[in-house]
Amino acid sequence: MKKFLILTAILVIPGVAYLFVKSGKNNYTHLEIFGPKEPVENTVAGKTKVDTVYHTIGDFTFIDQDSNTVNQSIVKDKIYIADYFFTSCKSICPKMSDQFMRVQFAYKDDPQVMILSHTVNPEDDSPSVLNAYAKKHNAIKGKWYFLTGDKKELYDLARNSYFVTAMSGDGGPDDFIHSEQLVLVDKQKRIRGFYDGTDYNDVTRLIDEIKVLKKEEEE
């Protein structure tokens, strides 16, 4: 129930930051930080200060489209966008991948911005299958990773780190995730935005909000 409420709140929050970006650079604002938050008290020089600890994306180990074992170090000090898809999908996934091509093109010369696409069907999406899919979508090596691996780990990360679904499951044979959500993650591994990967305008908002996040990271 808690995860459902978190995801519901995330999806109904309007793109306020986007409106600030489009209305002029003098109206610059920070993006929202999504996910559970915990207050932590620290006492310094006899004074108590309450800090906020934000939800962060968990560690992972997967296999990429080039059969390399990769972990969270590939996005260390990077801004990145994550999604969940599968190569044989005929509905939302092709639209999402096409929109990711737009994001990649917008930041193709920016090493700070990366893309991670996780398969929800690791049984069929082997590295060679992912490699063919990556080539079909002109994925730039080292910028757009297609990841496979242990299903339980993939699904646990989707549910408990990225919050791309509110549906419960155990990552078993009958478990399946199908989500259009794209997730924007900052250099501190915090979630900064959710976007409909099938919607052109929402992905345009993502492209613009990456600019907002980059500006924030420069402060």
Side-chain angles (χ1 to χ4, degrees), residues 13-81:
I13 293 174
V16 175
Y18 173 64
L19 297 178
F20 278 101
V21 173
K22 300 301 282 186
S23 61
K25 61 184 179 181
N26 292 331
N27 289 325
Y28 166 70
T29 185
H30 287 187
L31 299 181
E32 183 83 15
I33 300 176
F34 294 93
K37 305 172 180 64
E38 292 186 14
V40 176
E41 290 188 356
N42 291 312
T43 302
V44 179
K47 294 184 178 180
T48 300
K49 178 182 178 182
V50 178
D51 294 320
T52 301
V53 176
Y54 293 95
H55 169 79
T56 56
I57 304 301
D59 293 345
F60 59 84
T61 301
F62 296 128
I63 307 296
D64 71 10
Q65 68 265 37
D66 294 316
S67 298
N68 297 316
T69 299
V70 297
N71 58 31
Q72 63 279 355
S73 66
I74 62 174
V75 288
K76 180 177 171 57
D77 298 324
K78 306 288 185 182
I79 294 169
Y80 74 95
I81 313 97

Side-chain angles (χ1 to χ4, degrees), residues 17-18 21 28-31 78-82 99-100 102-108 110-115 143 182-187 192-193 195 202-218:
Y18 173 64
V21 173
Y28 166 70
T29 185
H30 287 187
L31 299 181
K78 306 288 185 182
I79 294 169
Y80 74 95
I81 313 97
Q99 291 303 314
F100 256 157
R102 290 181 58 215
V103 178
Q104 177 181 245
F105 180 78
Y107 292 95
K108 63 183 178 65
D110 189 339
Q112 293 186 58
V113 180
M114 294 175 59
I115 300 170
K143 175 169 284 290
L182 309 184
V183 185
L184 177 61
V185 182
D186 68 16
K187 293 180 180 181
R192 307 305 297 274
Y195 312 85
D202 217 27
V203 175
T204 297
R205 179 169 67 91
L206 164 61
I207 291 170
D208 282 319
E209 290 193 348
I210 293 172
K211 297 175 185 176
V212 175
L213 187 53
K214 283 174 57 65
K215 180 68 175 177
E216 177 185 327
E217 299 279 11
E218 292 170 0

Side-chain angles (χ1 to χ4, degrees), residues 160-205:
N160 300 312
S161 277
Y162 291 116
F163 303 126
V164 298
T165 180
M167 300 295 291
S168 61
D170 60 0
D174 297 325
D175 192 8
F176 190 71
I177 292 175
H178 204 204
S179 172
E180 75 284 356
Q181 293 297 307
L182 309 184
V183 185
L184 177 61
V185 182
D186 68 16
K187 293 180 180 181
Q188 289 75 48
K189 304 195 296 183
R190 303 172 302 184
I191 297 174
R192 307 305 297 274
F194 287 83
Y195 312 85
D196 183 340
T198 68
D199 185 286
Y200 183 94
N201 291 329
D202 217 27
V203 175
T204 297
R205 179 169 67 91

Side-chain angles (χ1 to χ4, degrees), residues 149-169:
D150 179 74
K151 184 178 179 181
K152 288 184 181 295
E153 184 179 357
L154 285 161
Y155 277 48
D156 180 70
L157 202 68
R159 287 192 167 99
N160 300 312
S161 277
Y162 291 116
F163 303 126
V164 298
T165 180
M167 300 295 291
S168 61

